[in-house]
Amino acid sequence: MPFAPSDMALIVPELFLTAAGLVLLVAATAVSRAQEKQIALWSIASLVVTGFLLAVPASAGAGARSAFGGMFAADGYSLFFKVLILAAGVVTILFSLRFVGDSPYPGGEYYGLLLFATVGMMFMVSGTHLISIYVALELMALSQYVLAGYFKRETKSIEAAAKYFVLGAFSSGVLLYGISLVFGATGSLSLAAVSRSIVLGPKSPLLVLGIILVACGLFFKIASAPFHVWAPDVYEGAPTPISAFFAVGPKLAAYAIFARIFFSGFGHNSSEWTVIIAASSALTMVVGNVGALMQQNVKRMLGYSSIGHAGYALLGLLAYGSKDFGLSSILIYLTAYALMNLGAFGLVVLLETKGYAGESVDDFNGLAKKNPLAAGVMVLFLLSLAGIPPTAGFVGKYLLFSAAMQAGWFWLTLLAVLMSAVSLFYYFRIVRAMYLVEGTGELRWREEPAVTVAILACAALTLFLGVYPQPLIALAKACLLS
Amino acid sequence: MTYPLWLIPALPLAGFLVNGLVALIAGWQRAAGRTAAWREAHPDAGHGDHGHAPHGGGHGHDDPAGHGHDSHGAHGHGPSVPALPYWQRLFHGVVGVGATGLSCVLALGVVVPFVRESLASENGLPAVVETAYRWMSAGPYVLDIAFRLDALSALMLSFVTFVGTLIHLYSVGYMQDEEGFGRFFAYLNLFMFSMLTLVMANSLPVLFIGWEGVGLCSYLLIGYYYDKDFAAAAGKKAFVTNRVGDFGMVLGIFGIFALFGTADFSFVDMARHGAMNGHAPLSVYAVCLLLFLGACGKSAQVPLYVWLPDAMAGPTPVSALIHAATMVTAGVYLVARCSAVFVLAPDALTVVAWVGAATAIFAASIGLAQNDIKKVLAYSTVSQLGYMFLACGVGAFGAGMFHVFTHAFFKACLFLGSGSVIMAMHHEQDMRAMGGLRPKIPQTYWTMMIATVAIAGIPPLAGFFSKDQILGAAFGAGHPGLFAVGLVTAGMTAFYMFRLARMTFFGTFRGSKEAEGHIHESPATMTVPLWVLAAGALGLGFLGVPEVLGGSNTFMRFLAPSLAASHPHEVSIATEYLLMGMSVAVAAAGILVAWRWYGAAGATPQVPSVQADAFYRGTGPLGPIVANKWNVDEGIEALVLEPFRKIGTALWRGFDALVIDGVINASAFLVELTGDLARFFTTGNVRNYILTLTLGVLTFTLYVWIR
């Protein structure tokens, strides 16, 4: 494999973040509990510096470049996702400052693990080779398993980690098996080469089976049905900032590789896989939204709701016929998705006390009277999640559904609209609790400036992109796969 | 032009934000202070009594004065709600008037050079379009927030900002005793922002933002005394009625988009050149009628006029600004703006003309028998709006817009004058209790008389020129029927306006002795705007002197590039003189009758005029029906609302209870079933999860196999 020193220049941001993670991990062993906050702040700083390192070549006008013999691509598409992922990381750490600080569990390693998960995602979205993608995915997943079980004496947390690990291992097996079948059929693992051999070579059932198995593995990562079963349990059991992170970061990365693998790798075989994706999308929307109807726990409900959103986002992959529109609508939708989910989870973080109290729908009772601002912001996020203007969620959903319509998926779009209507019901249960029900006990509202700032930033962006989406639309169009 | 156009609407918006925020915070503080004071006075009261603090903690109006709509704490009633402290009033006033005034200065700064250059050039200046920012783009469709300056928007801009500033100034005096002073100015500024967006928009969607904005402000300001049931109900009525119109408006915008492929005003030029989308599903006729339905709602035409008379529940400056001078003319503006489309559908124009004519005479007839001073003016406004649509309907869009322009001045003057009268009378609005006010409030008297003569159509005041051109156009376009309706309406207008003037200002005072002693002229912030508006009513007609009277009709020449070419006047000079003579004669007759009947010395509150009473008795059943506004509200109640209620009840009893509940129960059962099924797969046991995953993989693989 050809290897030039200049290749290293392209992965400087990833290298930096890895180094920062290692240093902070070691430093964490030497700090007292009171000093953990320093580690958190240094983690934020290293995420910001990483973003800066990403931005410098991009602002200098560097186009799409490839390195390590086609295993790694530094293009606009990966940059878009990396920025979102880094931002999600920063927000997660802001959420964690007090949450972990107040918990009985030392938090030094927590931040290091978060950084490693972020590095994994960054390599994922840049991966253009099935092996590099897979290795990066495992780096992310292993960090996730530990983070899910970080509150190691809470049964729920341990349960979440164990389930996540076992099921994750299973899905990795399926994914790897699929990859090996693709290799067997095409003799290559680089996406460009796979694509070439699909065009040139004869159609082989082995290849189709491989594609289906890869899809199954990725369905697990984005939590779409019937591979979604882990998500509610893990979201409920993991520490809430981590749930917020899981709902956003890994999903963004998984969608990024899903679209890249299927558009630039398996694109020419699209007639074989669209039906599978459509079936999963339909099932996911139904399972997610109907499942959310029955939840009392807000984290579980948001978990099911994000399953529903995974179903909507799959619509964008189906719009392969008008690829650019479909892909740009996915990028816009995922941006909105990240903002509103981080915001909604952030409010749950704010309401929570030690342990798992404060995450039932009833805990939102009477919030509007106690704290009108928090209630108003929550309404904004819920409106956005339900896809009602003028919020970013509406813009994303609107573009996504238009793309699916344009690609001819009428019945699926109809189902998506119907399910959006269903989703109104459970989102507004929270609104009802906040505005129409009298609060029973004292609200466990804590003043946390870091969380408040992060939530308000998410809210401002959600509203701004809902009113004036044009800059984001232009950006997404500039960041498509070449 | 050295500053961007968007600054003109942005200034009132800034005023709204500042005033609204300060009023909100000050309101909170007052409410908190009041609650604290009440707590001190009632130390034994428990904690659960938030809602029982007296005076409603913050929403403060006490208005025991019968049907008087304005509450003025300083005059002895409702001492529990004090007016704002002086510095707060000063702040709100300076911000509110300043924002609008500055925007007026900026507007005139662009309009005046535009008018001058436009008149100097052969075919007028092309429209100036400024894009503030790109709102959104989807595929080939682009929507910009863009503002437009052409003849039509320049005209609207000039009088909306000018009259608006005067009315803001007037409100400083009129509303001084209100606790909601800041809220009032915030809404008023928001209205100015919306109205300016409406008239400066460069596309129908942006116009629609302004359209809905003014509707919202109208609703908020009608319901300004929201603790009064009638005000809240009137606001609701306006809102609901306007929704009917907006339904047509929105469909009309979609229709325009279907016809031309764009909704920005370039479609006007396209319509001129006949460049239409060949396979548009909607005909031009339908689109025009839909847009006109929207205009009917906003501009109070038959049958959607019912909200406007009730809208008088708002403070009088609101009636003057929103429900007389500016907002209600938005419908006329819309029709004039789309005139190039309307002329493609002559049948639609005929509908416009007849609806306008019907509204004009119908509302005027109701105005004949009203005793509430503001109600007379309200029906008069509806009637005058009918004139404007009548003009548009016969293709004389310029004449319609001219009437919009002059009407803004004399009707605003009349409303503000009536406000001054009402204030002098301590919130008495019934003209039967007035009389002989002339020497006591001379400035109000003089200004109102000028405006009254103007609206009656006596030359050379403004109303004469604009009304005469409408009547002339109706006759010239070959519609003698429309002309006759317009002529009769002109006589009625003269009658009811002079009836108002005679009952209010002449004869002897018919109220109580105590009330007579309190009558006082209004402060200068109110009389100065009155004089300026009266001057407008006096002189602005000279902008549009027709050729036949030796003028050059500057107004029409200026507007021509923005409008569809109107039909040429096909009448001889002699006929034209004859038409003018007829309209003046009819107006004079109306004045004469009113003068003879009303304002005589022997009038009493029960029988203000012996002759009118005799006439009323002579009309048989017709008189009471007219006096009761043709029973329209009762008719709507019986024919529209009652059936809907019946349908609603039937649906509730039959459909809802049986079908919906049945479906719900069935679906509950279904969900339960699904739940059981789901429980089998999501037990929380990892092995069940693995089973689900495996089944998923197998199903998908199987699909590949059997395909």
Side-chain angles (χ1 to χ4, degrees):
Chain A
M1 185 172 292
F3 175 84
S6 64
D7 286 352
M8 296 302 276
L10 286 188
I11 57 165
V12 164
E14 285 84 356
L15 286 179
F16 170 79
L17 196 59
T18 312
L22 288 170
V23 169
L24 288 172
L25 201 60
V26 173
T29 58
V31 301
S32 67
R33 290 234 49 196
Q35 290 166 319
E36 275 167 14
K37 204 175 170 193
Q38 304 295 325
I39 301 281
L41 295 177
W42 281 107
S43 315
I44 292 178
S46 39
L47 286 173
V48 172
V49 171
T50 311
F52 186 70
L53 291 174
L54 278 173
V56 170
S59 63
R65 285 163 305 164
S66 174
F68 302 106
M71 293 190 97
F72 181 94
D75 50 5
Y77 179 77
S78 65
L79 186 65
F80 188 96
F81 278 103
K82 282 178 189 172
V83 170
L84 276 181
I85 288 166
L86 288 173
V90 170
V91 171
T92 307
I93 297 177
L94 288 175
F95 286 172
S96 310
L97 280 176
R98 189 81 76 86
F99 196 90
V100 177
D102 284 356
S103 75
Y105 310 102
E109 297 83 358
Y110 179 94
Y111 300 106
L113 287 166
L114 258 177
L115 296 192
F116 291 144
T118 312
V119 172
M121 293 174 210
M122 289 174 71
F123 273 116
M124 268 167 87
V125 300
S126 271
T128 48
H129 189 278
L130 288 172
I131 287 301
S132 67
I133 290 176
Y134 177 73
V135 172
L137 188 137
E138 285 303 313
L139 171 56
M140 170 189 86
L142 288 170
S143 314
Q144 276 184 291
Y145 302 145
V146 183
L147 284 170
Y150 201 82
F151 283 8
K152 59 189 174 198
R153 275 184 290 277
E154 309 281 348
T155 327
K156 274 181 165 183
S157 185
I158 288 296
E159 187 189 333
K163 282 181 180 166
Y164 199 14
F165 179 69
V166 172
L167 297 173
F170 179 86
S171 80
S172 283
V174 174
L175 180 65
L176 262 186
Y177 191 48
I179 290 177
S180 68
L181 286 179
V182 169
F183 183 72
T186 64
S188 170
L189 284 172
S190 142
L191 292 179
V194 168
S195 177
R196 262 197 309 280
S197 77
I198 287 178
V199 178
L200 300 174
K203 283 199 171 179
S204 90
L206 209 59
L207 175 68
V208 177
L209 189 60
I211 292 176
I212 298 304
L213 290 180
V214 169
C216 288
L218 294 176
F219 282 148
F220 177 85
K221 288 293 166 200
I222 63 171
S224 75
F227 306 95
H228 66 284
V229 277
W230 59 276
D233 285 0
V234 171
Y235 286 11
E236 187 190 354
T240 311
I242 291 302
S243 309
F245 188 60
F246 284 2
V248 176
K251 274 214 177 175
L252 289 176
Y255 265 107
I257 59 169
F258 210 141
R260 201 195 278 274
I261 293 175
F262 277 74
F263 279 15
S264 36
F266 305 151
H268 296 293
N269 227 347
S270 64
S271 57
E272 316 280 344
W273 49 261
T274 40
V275 181
I276 301 290
I277 292 190
S280 175
S281 167
L283 192 61
T284 308
M285 289 189 283
V286 173
V287 166
N289 286 306
V290 173
L293 281 177
M294 299 183 241
Q295 303 309 319
Q296 274 306 317
N297 182 302
V298 177
K299 276 164 77 181
R300 249 186 119 74
M301 197 191 88
L302 286 173
Y304 272 106
S305 125
S306 85
I307 293 173
H309 284 278
Y312 303 139
L314 282 178
L315 289 176
L317 291 178
L318 288 172
Y320 181 74
S322 49
K323 188 166 81 173
D324 287 355
F325 190 17
L327 199 54
S328 70
S329 61
I330 293 185
L331 296 189
I332 293 159
Y333 183 76
L334 289 178
T335 310
Y337 170 85
L339 289 171
M340 60 210 187
N341 267 295
L342 285 174
F345 270 110
L347 278 149
V348 180
V349 171
L350 272 181
L351 280 171
E352 252 184 72
T353 46
K354 287 182 190 122
Y356 291 90
E359 46 182 59
S360 138
V361 174
D362 294 340
D363 290 306
F364 279 84
N365 285 355
L367 183 62
K369 271 205 186 121
K370 298 269 161 75
N371 194 314
L373 179 67
V377 168
M378 188 68 184
V379 169
L380 179 75
F381 290 131
L382 293 173
L383 284 177
S384 186
L385 283 165
I388 290 172
T391 57
F394 165 73
V395 174
K397 234 182 217 177
Y398 173 74
L399 292 173
L400 207 52
F401 291 3
S402 327
M405 284 289 271
Q406 219 171 56
W409 290 95
F410 297 110
W411 67 271
L412 206 54
T413 316
L414 192 68
L415 182 70
V417 172
L418 276 177
M419 284 300 141
S420 299
V422 170
S423 74
L424 272 176
F425 184 80
Y426 58 82
Y427 290 133
F428 277 79
R429 264 178 58 202
I430 299 185
V431 176
R432 182 174 161 275
M434 290 191 300
Y435 283 89
L436 299 179
V437 183
E438 287 290 323
T440 43
E442 197 54 36
L443 253 165
R444 288 170 289 268
W445 172 268
R446 298 184 294 170
E447 290 301 325
E448 292 191 57
V451 183
T452 313
V453 165
I455 291 175
L456 288 182
C458 289
L461 273 173
T462 304
L463 193 62
F464 175 76
L465 293 176
V467 177
Y468 186 32
Q470 190 57 33
L472 179 65
I473 296 175
L475 189 68
K477 279 187 181 147
C479 290
L480 294 181
L481 285 171
S482 48
Chain B
M1 216 179 307
T2 50
Y3 45 85
L5 283 177
W6 58 258
L7 215 54
I8 299 172
L11 277 167
L13 182 64
F16 158 70
L17 292 175
V18 171
N19 262 344
L21 212 61
V22 171
L24 205 61
I25 292 166
W28 280 342
Q29 282 175 350
R30 266 201 314 283
R34 236 176 257 157
T35 310
W38 184 83
R39 283 267 161 73
E40 227 157 85
H42 304 77
D44 47 341
H47 271 275
D49 285 281
H50 296 285
H52 299 280
H55 327 313
H59 14 129
H61 292 285
D62 262 19
D63 184 13
H67 57 277
H69 302 150
D70 309 278
S71 93
H72 285 248
H75 294 307
H77 38 247
S80 54
V81 182
L84 292 190
Y86 178 74
W87 66 267
Q88 271 187 26
R89 268 186 294 146
L90 189 73
F91 176 82
H92 289 311
V94 167
V95 171
V97 178
T100 313
L102 209 57
S103 133
C104 177
V105 170
L106 291 185
L108 293 179
V110 291
V111 168
V112 169
F114 184 85
V115 172
R116 195 180 297 139
E117 284 166 40
S118 179
L119 286 174
S121 61
E122 185 66 31
N123 290 320
L125 289 184
V128 181
V129 175
E130 259 186 38
T131 304
Y133 67 86
R134 170 141 303 174
W135 191 9
M136 55 178 94
S137 66
Y141 180 57
V142 172
L143 191 51
D144 289 333
I145 299 286
F147 296 107
R148 178 187 185 90
L149 184 71
D150 64 356
L152 203 53
S153 58
L155 167 71
M156 295 296 285
L157 203 52
S158 62
F159 78 79
V160 166
T161 53
F162 186 70
V163 175
T165 307
L166 289 176
I167 294 176
H168 273 70
L169 188 62
Y170 176 95
S171 307
V172 173
Y174 190 83
M175 304 296 288
Q176 60 186 345
D177 298 325
E178 294 288 334
E179 198 193 12
F181 195 78
R183 179 164 61 95
F184 180 81
F185 273 97
Y187 290 166
L188 222 51
N189 273 344
L190 183 63
F191 169 78
M192 289 303 292
F193 161 70
S194 310
M195 190 70 205
L196 290 170
T197 309
L198 196 165
V199 301
M200 293 174 69
N202 187 41
S203 65
L204 283 176
V206 177
L207 180 142
F208 190 69
I209 296 175
W211 185 274
E212 288 302 303
V214 291
L216 169 71
C217 296
S218 161
Y219 164 76
L220 289 172
L221 284 163
I222 293 170
Y224 176 75
Y225 301 115
Y226 56 83
D227 45 356
K228 300 279 169 291
D229 283 344
F230 67 85
K236 212 188 293 172
K237 189 171 179 180
F239 203 80
V240 172
T241 316
N242 268 299
R243 292 291 78 64
V244 179
D246 289 348
F247 151 79
M249 174 81 179
V250 172
L251 289 182
I253 293 175
F254 293 157
I256 288 283
F257 189 76
L259 282 179
F260 301 100
T262 175
D264 73 37
F265 288 145
S266 55
F267 77 76
V268 173
D269 289 326
M270 290 185 184
R272 266 194 204 136
H273 304 127
M276 243 178 302
N277 211 338
H279 29 254
L282 274 169
S283 75
V284 187
Y285 181 73
V287 171
C288 288
L289 283 189
L290 286 170
L291 286 176
F292 180 57
L293 181 61
C296 275
K298 192 65 68 196
S299 291
Q301 296 298 291
V302 168
L304 298 180
Y305 74 94
V306 285
W307 65 272
L308 186 56
D310 284 28
M312 298 302 132
T316 308
V318 170
S319 311
L321 177 62
I322 302 184
H323 305 120
T326 56
M327 183 189 86
V328 289
T329 61
V332 188
Y333 169 76
L334 177 71
V335 173
R337 177 58 85 192
C338 303
S339 54
V341 184
F342 272 86
V343 291
L344 297 177
D347 294 341
L349 272 183
T350 311
V351 172
V352 173
W354 278 104
V355 168
T359 308
I361 191 161
F362 185 71
S365 71
I366 298 174
L368 297 176
Q370 296 300 307
N371 288 318
D372 182 322
I373 186 168
K374 280 179 76 181
K375 280 278 160 72
V376 177
L377 292 175
Y379 281 105
S380 160
T381 305
V382 176
S383 166
Q384 299 298 314
L385 289 166
Y387 265 122
M388 298 165 198
F389 280 106
L390 168 58
C392 292
V394 298
F397 300 101
M401 288 309 294
F402 190 30
H403 201 55
V404 167
F405 181 65
T406 57
H407 177 258
F409 284 87
F410 56 67
K411 189 50 72 59
C413 182
L414 284 169
F415 261 113
L416 295 186
S418 80
S420 178
V421 169
I422 292 168
M423 207 165 156
M425 292 291 299
H426 288 270
H427 309 289
E428 179 57 78
Q429 299 188 186
D430 195 330
M431 296 190 296
R432 284 170 298 192
M434 299 178 186
L437 297 180
R438 179 166 51 135
K440 296 185 175 114
I441 44 174
Q443 305 207 41
T444 308
Y445 164 70
W446 278 111
T447 51
M448 268 190 94
M449 279 317 282
I450 291 170
T452 305
V453 175
I455 193 177
I458 300 298
L461 275 72
F464 164 73
F465 291 105
S466 53
K467 198 182 286 181
D468 179 65
Q469 278 170 36
I470 293 173
L471 294 178
F475 191 84
H479 294 288
L482 290 171
F483 171 76
V485 172
L487 197 64
V488 174
T489 307
M492 288 176 164
T493 309
F495 174 81
Y496 66 66
M497 285 315 300
F498 270 83
R499 172 173 173 270
L500 181 150
R502 290 288 286 173
M503 281 178 85
T504 309
F505 292 111
F506 292 86
T508 50
F509 188 70
R510 293 182 291 273
S512 66
K513 272 274 165 264
E514 193 215 343
E516 191 172 7
H518 284 297
I519 296 172
H520 57 90
E521 180 62 284
S522 302
T525 52
M526 293 168 66
T527 51
V528 169
L530 278 175
W531 278 110
V532 177
L533 289 170
L538 198 60
L540 283 177
F542 290 103
L543 290 178
V545 180
E547 277 98 2
V548 65
L549 291 179
S552 60
N553 213 339
T554 323
F555 193 88
M556 301 298 163
R557 204 150 56 76
F558 170 64
L559 270 192
S562 285
L563 300 173
S566 53
H567 300 293
H569 248 240
E570 304 258 344
V571 289
S572 64
I573 293 178
T575 320
E576 205 147 337
Y577 279 127
L578 184 69
L579 294 178
M580 262 179 218
M582 278 167 78
S583 82
V584 174
V586 166
I591 294 173
L592 201 68
V593 174
W595 201 277
R596 298 268 311 251
W597 284 9
Y598 293 93
T604 62
Q606 287 74 36
V607 187
S609 154
V610 181
Q611 295 96 319
D613 209 45
F615 181 77
Y616 180 79
R617 283 176 209 293
T619 52
L622 191 62
I625 293 179
V626 173
N628 197 29
K629 307 152 193 172
W630 293 97
N631 292 335
V632 167
D633 283 333
E634 289 77 5
I636 290 178
E637 176 71 27
L639 293 177
V640 181
L641 299 183
E642 194 51 40
F644 265 102
R645 254 176 236 130
K646 289 226 174 86
I647 293 170
T649 315
L651 284 179
W652 163 44
R653 292 264 163 72
F655 188 70
D656 220 49
L658 293 179
V659 182
I660 302 280
D661 288 2
V663 170
I664 298 286
N665 292 339
S667 59
F669 174 72
L670 211 66
V671 166
E672 214 168 296
L673 207 68
T674 321
D676 287 343
L677 202 67
R679 215 163 294 139
F680 174 72
F681 284 106
T682 36
T683 48
N685 272 334
V686 177
R687 66 175 83 100
N688 289 64
Y689 289 178
I690 295 278
L691 176 65
T692 317
L693 261 59
T694 315
L695 282 179
V697 173
L698 283 180
T699 316
F700 285 158
T701 316
L702 212 63
Y703 165 77
V704 178
W705 214 267
I706 59 172
R707 199 168 49 100

